[in-house]
Amino acid sequence: MKRNDYISWDEYFMGVAKLSALRSKDPGTQVGCCIATVDNRIASLGYNGLPRGCGDDMFPWNREGLPLETKYLYVVHSELNAILNFVGNDLTNCKIYVTLFPCNECAKAIIQSGIKEIVYAEDRYADTDIVKASKKMLDAAGVVHRKYKSSSKKLVIEV
């Protein structure tokens, strides 16, 4: 195998985030993330879904309707899930790879956990107040956020 046949760390961790997203039961938006340490080890993974013990069929996945009839009051975002799933004691200076730019609530958790860089695949809601607030807080806290630069490599994994 030639040296250029290997994938970069960004490709590796974003690939893991994309794979994690496939665990989400959300029919509209599957989001995944991977937290990587400064020495390129996976610290934690997450995807958007319901809290432990809350069955996927017991709660709504609707995007529209009365608040209690939509997913928004129930679903835990991938970033928060990854932070809560972390079994160590320190995420300081880690990077978080996420398939969708974090909302304001996840930005708070990212900042508080000490994560210093966000690499995101999509910024679909950039014009919303939620993402504008997220970016304002991240910038104020010195958390770098950059768009993932997709390579032309296509990987096929058979499971």
Side-chain angles (χ1 to χ4, degrees), residues 82-114:
I83 291 167
L84 294 172
N85 288 336
F86 178 62
V87 294
N89 62 357
D90 195 8
L91 291 171
T92 302
N93 297 321
C94 286
K95 288 182 188 178
I96 189 167
Y97 291 79
V98 64
T99 59
L100 187 62
F101 197 92
C103 73
N104 62 311
E105 293 299 321
C106 290
K108 294 174 196 177
I110 289 166
I111 293 165
Q112 289 298 92
S113 70

Side-chain angles (χ1 to χ4, degrees), residues 5-22:
D5 288 338
Y6 295 100
I7 61 174
S8 70
W9 287 116
D10 275 0
E11 290 169 323
Y12 176 67
F13 294 127
M14 187 57 76
V16 171
K18 288 179 178 183
L19 187 61
S20 295
L22 297 176

Side-chain angles (χ1 to χ4, degrees), residues 66-130:
L66 296 172
L68 290 173
E69 297 171 359
T70 68
K71 64 183 179 178
Y72 301 109
L73 296 179
Y74 307 106
V75 171
V76 181
H77 289 181
S78 68
E79 305 92 321
L80 186 56
N81 257 331
I83 291 167
L84 294 172
N85 288 336
F86 178 62
V87 294
N89 62 357
D90 195 8
L91 291 171
T92 302
N93 297 321
C94 286
K95 288 182 188 178
I96 189 167
Y97 291 79
V98 64
T99 59
L100 187 62
F101 197 92
C103 73
N104 62 311
E105 293 299 321
C106 290
K108 294 174 196 177
I110 289 166
I111 293 165
Q112 289 298 92
S113 70
I115 292 170
K116 290 298 179 193
E117 185 172 355
I118 299 167
V119 182
Y120 62 93
E122 291 183 65
D123 194 2
R124 198 180 316 163
Y125 303 107
D127 293 331
T128 66
D129 288 342
I130 287 171

